[in-house]
Amino acid sequence: MLSGTERILFILMAAICVTATINTFGNMGKLIWRGQGELNFKELPTRVIKGLSALLTQGRIIRHRKLSSIIHLAVAYGFLFFLQVNLYDVLEGFAPGIIELFHDTIFGQLFRLAADFFGTIVLLGVAYFLIRRFAFSDQALITNENVKLHPKARAGGVRRDSLVVGIFILLHIGFRMLSQSFLIVEHQHPDLWQPVANVIAIGIAALIPAGWDVVQIGSFGWHISWWISVGLIVLFLPYFPYTKHAHLFMGPANFMLAPEKTYLGQLKTLDFEDESIEQFGVSTIFDLPKTNVMDAFACIMCNRCQEVCPAYNTGKELSPAALEINKRYYMKEHMDVLAIGEETAVPMLDYAISESAVWACTACGHCVDICPVGNAPMIDILEMRRDLVLMNSEFPEELKGAFVGMERQGNPWQSTEDRMEWAAPLPFEVKTVEENPDFDYLLWVGCAGAFNPDAQETVRAVATILQNAGVSFAVLGDAETCTGDPARRAGNEYLYFELASQNIEVLNEVGADKKKIVTSCPHCLSTIGGEYGELGGHYTVYHHTQMISDLVGQGKLTLKNNVLETVTYHDPCYLGRHNGIVEEPRDALARAGVTLLEMDRNGKDSFCCGAGGSQYWKEEEHGSEEVNVNRFEEAHATGAETLAVGCPFCATMMTDANGKANNAMKIKDIAQIVVDAM
């Protein structure tokens, strides 16, 4: 029990620290509120559950770094339990009578057992993380020298932050354990419900010289340990927003308040008719949506996003983790003046990321999907591209041709050919919507399917499947134009808006909003099915592998199961990760009869082909290797004869890499493999 003087001292210290905490947390809130848009408070009870789920699952961290993830889960649960333990300890100091009533009940006994267990787990877990970072210098926690990283972070600021947090936890939990051990010494009675503290108490008692007052030593030891354990919590509170420890509450809040999305990489549509808007895209940190400002405070600096980034893994200047770390360091250094608006935020290109890194992003979405605290660095980058293109007319020279092609010819290839040329070799007639207005499926051919020879073969295979299954389908023909995805991913939002508006008008005229749309391009799937909704275009869109699986399930399509070859399947980012379509392609391959040999990086963890984010239309940024070569080597290493794809851009990128490897594999779309099995 604390003395009267100790109580007054603790209350004064707590009052000062709580006041400082309110100030720092308030400044953090003000910075977030300077971001654009609104935080999503719709259906709040459901969102609270979502946030709690993220807290309890730790953002599904178990998917990667298995050992570290399991230990982190244990530490997290221990720390959450210690919120109750801290309350217990305060009551132990201020109202011991309440603790005495609770002490010998079954709840009190189980509580002490849990506190002893979790305390031990947290101590061991934090020790593991400190050893991993400082003794073994895990390379996953280090960022390449060519990446822009805040000087203080590069000089050891991230490591220092980890050390401060780690030592704080060790001291807090360690002295809490000691306080219980000294209580056992003071009472001179073992507490079997605290086995670890009991063992420590035995050790302490053995060190006390004969003749010394054991009770007084136990009481003195408890007071010192209590003050260090509980006092550290109070003193640490104002420092909370400045450390990565803020992820404890900012992570769940990030999941809870995030905008609703149809698919992973969905972008917010800009309103070009609102004359009050002076800034399109993101230049400064406060041009970002509020949730993306929040990302910097939620970031735990674990580098998981960096670990899966195709640009980073091939030596480019991009690290999604560095982007978030740089945002945090900038706001941390200028928090007081930025919070009250006394300082104008500087462009993010000055401190957060290099222009080369902005254009190196493949928009694969892996950084968003993998982040355990719900950050979306990819969205930051795509928003910065909007600023560069729309506000500054700055973009890689190679993109100009694609922009002109989409604007003038309705396709980034700048082709003037008829959009129906792909269908000429087929032994049956492919009808347009004018010729077959009662179609069941609208086959969206896409620019690749219309003008890329390899992709034309895929679309012909899809049409053949529909024809043989007896499905009534039609195409738009020359009325179809580019969805605008290449323009949007390259930052040219206005061109996307024009193309999307044109397509929506055509699609609604032919009644596509009441029918099914099927496409062989995951980018078209995502854009039409996931992004046109904001512009009034609401459509049901399927990838051709989904359609194949459905047709086989209905008995309309019979496969002979006769394709006897080994196949490895490359999951397109915009199919597997962005839209969660993982099983249907594998089901189609299985029904065709192939033996599937999986790559290590598959499904939602698939590695990018290198074409996304409009990379297809420009030269790849300088790095140690090309993204498509990295992926192809993984496919080739499986020993499979054939590399199956489900995206026309993936097909081209893998074909190019295959050529550099002396055509070591066959590259086929799943639709082509299915046709072979028909």
Side-chain angles (χ1 to χ4, degrees), residues 283-286 330 334 338 343-351:
S283 174
T284 75
I285 194 166
F286 299 124
Y330 172 72
H334 305 86
L338 286 175
E343 182 174 315
T344 303
V346 300
M348 288 177 66
L349 283 174
D350 287 359
Y351 65 89

Side-chain angles (χ1 to χ4, degrees), residues 65 77 111 166 184 195 209 227 243 251 254 256 258 272 315 334 368 386 481 484 489 526-527 550 552 566 572 616 664:
R65 303 180 186 174
Y77 291 147
F111 182 85
I184 294 171
W227 267 101
T243 74
N254 224 0
M256 184 176 75
F272 291 103
H334 305 86
V368 182
R386 284 173 164 177
T481 192
R489 265 51 197 181
S526 299
T527 306
D550 184 52
V552 172
T566 53
Y616 188 91

Side-chain angles (χ1 to χ4, degrees), residues 4-299:
T5 302
E6 285 179 307
R7 292 184 184 188
I8 293 171
L9 182 61
F10 181 83
I11 291 171
L12 284 173
M13 184 179 75
I16 293 169
C17 289
V18 167
T19 301
T21 301
I22 292 172
N23 180 60
T24 51
F25 273 69
N27 283 344
M28 186 169 69
K30 289 174 183 176
L31 292 180
I32 293 170
W33 219 254
R34 286 190 65 181
Q36 302 303 304
E38 299 298 331
L39 297 175
N40 196 342
F41 290 100
K42 295 178 181 177
E43 300 178 354
L44 193 57
T46 302
R47 292 188 161 274
V48 169
I49 292 172
K50 185 177 180 180
L52 289 173
S53 174
L55 178 64
L56 294 175
T57 64
Q58 294 293 288
R60 300 169 290 122
I61 60 171
I62 200 69
R63 290 165 50 193
H64 286 250
R65 303 180 186 174
K66 301 294 184 186
L67 176 61
S68 294
S69 296
I70 291 170
I71 294 173
H72 187 278
L73 278 170
V75 170
Y77 291 147
F79 218 83
L80 289 173
F81 183 76
F82 258 70
L83 295 176
Q84 288 72 247
V85 173
N86 292 332
L87 175 61
Y88 177 95
D89 290 345
V90 171
L91 288 174
E92 196 170 52
F94 281 82
I98 296 175
I99 298 300
E100 288 176 8
L101 292 174
F102 179 69
H103 187 272
D104 291 326
T105 66
I106 186 63
F107 297 109
Q109 292 166 339
L110 291 175
F111 182 85
R112 296 201 306 283
L113 178 64
D116 191 81
F117 170 76
F118 279 118
T120 304
I121 289 296
V122 171
L123 286 173
L124 293 174
V126 171
Y128 162 82
F129 286 119
L130 289 174
I131 291 170
R132 171 174 171 250
R133 181 178 285 273
F134 294 99
F136 293 101
S137 297
D138 192 331
Q139 289 302 302
L141 304 175
I142 297 172
T143 301
N144 289 342
E145 289 294 329
N146 66 331
V147 172
K148 180 180 281 190
L149 188 62
H150 192 284
K152 290 184 179 178
R154 179 72 71 188
V158 175
R159 288 166 60 86
R160 195 177 306 114
D161 188 42
S162 298
L163 184 63
V164 169
V165 171
I167 290 176
F168 156 70
I169 295 173
L170 288 178
L171 290 175
H172 167 57
I173 303 293
F175 275 96
R176 198 275 163 185
M177 190 82 74
L178 274 176
S179 74
Q180 296 305 300
S181 299
F182 276 115
L183 270 183
I184 294 171
V185 171
E186 180 184 1
H187 295 149
Q188 300 184 59
H189 189 277
D191 187 350
L192 299 180
W193 291 99
Q194 298 187 89
V196 177
N198 203 57
V199 169
I200 296 172
I202 293 171
I204 292 172
L207 293 173
I208 298 174
W212 287 37
D213 191 329
V214 174
V215 174
Q216 275 197 346
I217 290 173
S219 176
F220 179 78
W222 176 84
H223 275 75
I224 295 297
S225 300
W226 187 95
W227 267 101
I228 294 175
S229 175
V230 179
L232 276 172
I233 288 286
V234 176
L235 291 172
F236 190 74
L237 281 175
Y239 186 57
F240 227 130
Y242 294 104
T243 74
K244 62 189 239 175
H245 216 50
H247 77 275
L248 274 174
F249 52 91
M250 295 306 296
N254 224 0
F255 280 105
M256 184 176 75
L257 301 174
E260 296 175 10
K261 292 185 177 182
T262 308
Y263 77 103
L264 181 73
Q266 184 178 352
L267 288 168
K268 183 180 183 298
T269 298
L270 300 182
D271 186 358
F272 291 103
E273 296 179 357
D274 187 346
E275 296 181 358
S276 66
I277 298 178
E278 297 180 355
Q279 171 67 38
F280 294 111
V282 167
S283 174
T284 75
I285 194 166
F286 299 124
D287 294 329
L288 286 168
K290 288 182 172 63
T291 50
N292 292 59
V293 178
M294 189 189 298
D295 285 352
F297 294 109
C299 180

